[in-house]
């Protein structure tokens, strides 16, 4: 008779284990294989990207490259899983290497601490390793905004959504999403933000996270007297990236501070929407934003576990 874990389904236990290990066990960047994988993607993207090429060529070349990378890695990983003696362990290992919780990143933690010590030049140097935008001339409020925006968007895209896809749709879907996400991030650093080369792959991520990011933000709108609904109506439709603006609008309403705003990429200014009130965020807003996202995650975790318990109870009647 096979051993059955109590209370929850096997998929729920696997997802909980993956989330726990990813949050507690952090591999130093110099030993992590993902930066090497991203470097290989960057080299391939650099060879085919042409700033003077037509939009059709840029879109087709980026989609072809991303599909080639995702297809090769996915076929290899799924093939190995099919013949592995412990396929679940191999699946968890692959996803552990691909997902990332930014709130466990030592450099980002150090940047937030250094900001309290008024070490803004050092914080700018640290953020330049993570951000696409130029960080050399960011003010203190700009640095706080950059940290909040990077951590909140990365938390959802690189941690919460892959775990949700793994639980709901299985390993294959979560793996393909993570691979496309890494390709999109590398392409966005290879080409300008408004380039069709980066937008083509970003479109895949946009439609993949369209519904999940809206469901994830629902708990943030439960706060009494929040301005989140008002900010959604005012700013999302005119935003540079509607999914990102949706999360930032809900977070801005929850924290009651301004997020977003114009940014420089490779010396060129892009007029991105300022979201929220005129009140600029203070250093305490970084921790408050983390608590807000933890609240949203805990809300969905409790709801899923509650449904798991009900399902298990009805099946054992």
């Amino acid at each position: 008779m096979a051993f059955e874990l109590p209370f929850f389904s096997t998929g729920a236990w696997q997802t909980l284990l993956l989330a726990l290990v990813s949050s507690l066990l952090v591999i130093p960047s110099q030993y992590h294989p993902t930066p090497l994988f991203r470097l290989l993607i960057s080299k391939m993207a650099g060879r085919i990207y042409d700033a003077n090429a037509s939009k059709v060529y840029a879109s087709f070349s980026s989609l072809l490259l991303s599909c080639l990378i995702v297809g090769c890695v996915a076929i290899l990983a799924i093939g190995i899983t099919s013949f592995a003696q412990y396929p679940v362990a191999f699946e968890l290992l692959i996803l552990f290497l691909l997902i990332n919780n930014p709130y466990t990143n030592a450099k980002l933690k150090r940047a937030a601490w250094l900001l309290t010590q008024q070490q803004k030049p050092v914080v700018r140097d640290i953020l330049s390793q993570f951000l696409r935008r130029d960080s050399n001339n960011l003010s203190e409020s700009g640095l706080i905004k950059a940290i909040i925006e990077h951590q909140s968007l990365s938390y959802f895209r690189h941690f919460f959504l892959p775990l949700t896809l793994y639980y709901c749709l299985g390993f294959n879907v979560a793996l393909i999403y993570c691979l496309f996400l890494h390709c999109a991030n590398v392409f966005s650093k290879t080409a300008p933000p408004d380039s069709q080369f980066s937008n083509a792959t970003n479109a895949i991520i946009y439609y993949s996270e369209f519904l999940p990011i809206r469901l994830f933000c629902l708990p943030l709108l439960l706060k009494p007297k929040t301005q989140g609904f008002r900010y959604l109506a005012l700013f999302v439709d005119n935003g540079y990236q509607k999914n990102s603006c949706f999360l930032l609008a809900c977070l801005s309403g929850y924290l009651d501070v301004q997020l977003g705003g114009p940014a420089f990429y490779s010396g060129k200014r892009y007029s991105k929407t300022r979201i929220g009130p005129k009140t600029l965020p203070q250093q305490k807003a970084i921790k408050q934003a983390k608590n807000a996202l933890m609240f949203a995650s805990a809300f969905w975790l409790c709801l899923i576990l509650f449904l798991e318990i009900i399902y298990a109870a009805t099946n054992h009647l």
Side-chain angles (χ1 to χ4, degrees):
M1 183 176 179
F3 173 73
E4 294 184 2
L5 294 170
F7 301 114
F8 311 130
S9 65
T10 304
W13 281 111
Q14 293 170 3
T15 306
L16 288 172
L17 176 62
L18 179 59
L20 185 63
V21 173
S22 301
S23 300
L24 298 179
L25 182 60
V26 180
I27 303 178
S29 57
Q30 58 267 32
Y31 302 112
H32 205 293
T34 304
L36 177 60
F37 175 63
R38 294 169 68 96
L39 178 62
L40 294 175
I41 299 176
S42 177
K43 294 298 183 182
M44 289 187 285
R47 291 185 65 87
I48 67 172
Y49 171 66
D50 185 358
N52 300 320
S54 65
K55 293 183 178 180
V56 176
Y57 170 81
S59 300
F60 180 76
S61 60
S62 63
L63 284 175
L64 183 62
L65 178 59
S66 59
C67 290
L68 178 64
I69 295 171
V70 172
C72 291
V73 177
I75 291 173
L76 180 62
I78 295 172
I80 295 176
T81 304
S82 302
F83 295 99
Q85 185 174 2
Y86 301 102
V88 174
F90 184 78
E91 292 176 0
L92 296 179
L93 175 61
I94 294 297
L95 292 179
F96 168 73
L97 296 176
L98 289 176
I99 68 176
N100 172 43
N101 186 348
Y103 291 111
T104 62
N105 189 290
K107 290 184 178 180
L108 290 175
K109 287 182 179 179
R110 184 167 178 262
W113 178 81
L114 288 172
L115 199 56
T116 64
Q117 308 299 313
Q118 299 299 316
Q119 298 291 327
K120 288 181 282 189
V122 184
V123 177
R124 294 188 185 102
D125 291 338
I126 295 175
L127 291 182
S128 65
Q129 304 174 31
F130 297 94
L131 305 180
R132 289 185 297 161
R133 62 186 294 181
D134 300 340
S135 59
N136 298 331
N137 299 318
L138 288 176
S139 62
E140 180 176 349
S141 60
L143 292 171
I144 296 172
K145 283 184 181 182
I147 293 175
I148 293 175
E149 292 167 14
H150 173 76
Q151 287 185 326
S152 58
L153 294 172
S154 296
Y155 175 81
F156 173 78
R157 290 177 174 140
H158 291 269
F159 188 75
F160 182 85
L161 185 53
L163 290 173
T164 305
L165 292 176
Y166 179 63
Y167 170 73
C168 297
L169 301 176
F171 169 72
N172 297 346
V173 176
L175 173 64
I176 291 173
Y177 169 80
C178 289
L179 293 174
F180 269 115
L181 182 62
H182 282 286
C183 289
N185 288 341
V186 173
F187 293 171
S188 63
K189 293 182 179 181
T190 304
D194 55 354
S195 170
Q196 196 64 29
F197 183 83
S198 57
N199 290 342
T201 310
N202 285 336
I204 299 175
I205 303 301
Y206 174 83
Y207 291 109
S208 299
E209 67 184 21
F210 182 85
L211 180 60
I213 200 169
R214 283 153 177 78
L215 293 175
F216 175 75
C217 292
L218 285 180
L220 301 180
L221 299 173
L222 299 178
K223 182 182 179 181
K225 298 181 181 180
T226 179
Q227 296 294 317
F229 291 104
R230 179 170 173 264
Y231 297 155
L232 289 175
L234 289 175
F235 302 113
V236 172
D237 288 340
N238 299 321
Y240 60 96
Q241 214 275 13
K242 290 183 174 56
N243 289 344
S244 299
C245 286
F246 195 97
L247 175 57
L248 294 181
C250 295
L251 193 58
S252 176
Y254 190 92
L255 302 177
D256 198 25
V257 296
Q258 184 186 103
L259 298 175
F264 285 84
Y265 294 85
S266 301
K268 182 180 178 181
R269 186 179 187 272
Y270 290 82
S271 299
K272 295 184 175 182
T273 307
R274 290 185 176 91
I275 300 174
K278 295 182 179 180
T279 306
L280 296 176
Q282 303 298 318
Q283 294 175 5
K284 62 181 181 180
I286 298 176
K287 185 175 182 180
Q288 292 173 345
K290 175 185 176 180
N291 293 338
L293 297 181
M294 295 302 107
F295 165 70
S297 302
F299 174 88
W300 287 110
L301 175 63
C302 293
L303 179 61
I304 291 173
L305 295 183
F306 177 71
L307 295 176
E308 283 276 346
I309 292 175
I310 293 178
Y311 178 79
T314 54
N315 279 358
H316 287 81
L317 289 179

